Amino acid sequence: MNVVLDSQPAEPGRENEDFAAAAHGAAVLLDGAGVAGAETGCTHGISWFSSTLGGLLLGTITAQPARPLTACLADSIRAVRSLHEDTCDLTYRASPTSTVLAVRATAGALEYLVLGDSTLLLADADRKTNAITDQRLDEVGRQLRGPVDALPTGSPQHAAALAEYRDALTGHRNRPGGFWIAGPDPQAAEHALTGAVPLEALTSVSLLSDGATRLVDSFELSTWPQTLAILDASGPAELIRRVREAEAGDSEGRRWPRGKTHDDATALYWVLP
């Protein structure tokens, strides 16, 4: 299995809340999230949640190849909940959550699951791309984040507006008409985007957190085919380096308004045989 992975925290020395891993014929990527400055009710933290859920999910989808990915995710969420519901209060609105990407190669097809705003980038033999992203979080976010985008990133006013935005966003989480993400409730798995693609039609699969896709979906400095070309030629580390370079050139968010100047960034690039 030819996999190249790079994952970097938003800032050196900070905890990385992303998680990605691969096993024979399968891979997962999770982008942990919470509400900045809010009590989470969890003593373990966001990184623990995303890495624990990711590890359990990867083990489940490989150990039970006939079980649907949504059922595997629900089982894994349930298992994580059982690990800390006796010590943590999971009724908090700001309890740790995570996006989820999962892929599994079985019976001539690549099965996939997408929950939250991470991106699955598929490439065929002609290097044509198909980017699969759950847009529901972005759709809700666009309705709420106007006051945030009007302020310089990193300013006290921006921080206050961002806290209000994230609190409002949490009110739409895992509700009809809102968006769905992995958290304490295993029912969220039922709302994931799923599908299957013939393996013979694919040459590579890339799992990307939203911190790694900023060149395309936030900065509009690249297209998906151009992003694939970077991964083909130089791998995930070069993609993330270019993201960091663009972020550094707009540290106050004047050109590209955003919640954080830098974000955790993870890219897993899997070349299929």
Side-chain angles (χ1 to χ4, degrees):
M1 186 172 176
N2 186 3
V3 172
V4 184
L5 166 65
D6 192 48
S7 185
Q8 298 181 19
E11 302 282 355
R14 285 186 55 181
E15 195 170 34
N16 190 343
E17 296 171 351
D18 287 357
F19 173 85
H24 180 69
V28 299
L29 182 148
L30 291 83
D31 181 354
V35 180
E39 290 290 335
T40 67
C42 177
T43 62
H44 300 88
I46 296 169
S47 294
W48 175 88
F49 178 82
S50 59
S51 61
T52 303
L53 178 59
L56 286 169
L57 178 59
L58 183 61
T60 302
I61 66 177
T62 53
Q64 303 182 50
R67 190 159 174 75
L69 293 178
T70 50
C72 290
L73 177 56
D75 290 347
S76 300
I77 292 173
R78 196 174 291 111
V80 173
R81 183 184 182 101
S82 72
L83 291 175
H84 70 143
E85 63 182 346
D86 292 337
T87 58
C88 304
D89 185 351
L90 305 185
T91 63
Y92 274 60
R93 292 172 71 238
S95 290
T97 60
S98 178
T99 71
V100 181
L101 295 178
V103 293
R104 178 175 61 189
T106 55
L110 183 85
E111 303 172 83
Y112 66 81
L113 178 149
V114 179
L115 184 67
D117 61 350
S118 296
T119 298
L120 180 65
L121 185 63
L122 307 178
D124 66 15
D126 296 324
R127 311 312 287 153
K128 293 181 181 177
T129 59
N130 178 22
I132 304 171
T133 308
D134 184 349
Q135 300 286 350
R136 289 170 291 188
L137 175 56
D138 290 340
E139 290 168 359
V140 173
R142 279 193 292 269
Q143 299 171 24
L144 301 174
R145 62 175 300 123
V148 178
D149 291 343
L151 297 165
T153 301
S155 67
Q157 297 84 356
H158 181 271
L162 183 61
E164 292 181 6
Y165 161 73
R166 286 174 170 164
D167 186 62
L169 192 65
T170 301
H172 294 266
R173 187 181 68 197
N174 291 353
R175 294 184 179 182
F179 65 95
W180 300 87
I181 196 166
D185 187 356
Q187 291 186 358
E190 300 173 7
H191 298 273
L193 308 180
T194 60
V197 181
L199 278 172
E200 63 182 14
L202 299 173
T203 54
S204 70
V205 180
S206 300
L207 285 65
L208 308 168
S209 71
D210 67 343
T213 60
R214 283 183 161 186
L215 289 181
V216 179
D217 52 25
S218 295
F219 303 160
E220 297 183 345
L221 294 176
S222 181
T223 63
W224 291 121
Q226 289 168 340
T227 297
L228 176 63
I230 295 170
L231 293 168
D232 285 343
S234 305
E238 174 61 16
L239 174 63
I240 295 174
R241 186 198 69 77
R242 295 191 189 194
V243 171
R244 293 287 185 252
E245 183 178 61
E247 291 170 337
D250 182 45
S251 60
E252 293 189 351
R254 300 286 187 178
R255 182 178 179 184
W256 302 302
R258 54 198 188 272
K260 294 179 281 188
T261 301
H262 304 288
D263 196 5
D264 299 338
T266 301
L268 185 153
Y269 175 61
W270 176 8
V271 179
L272 298 174

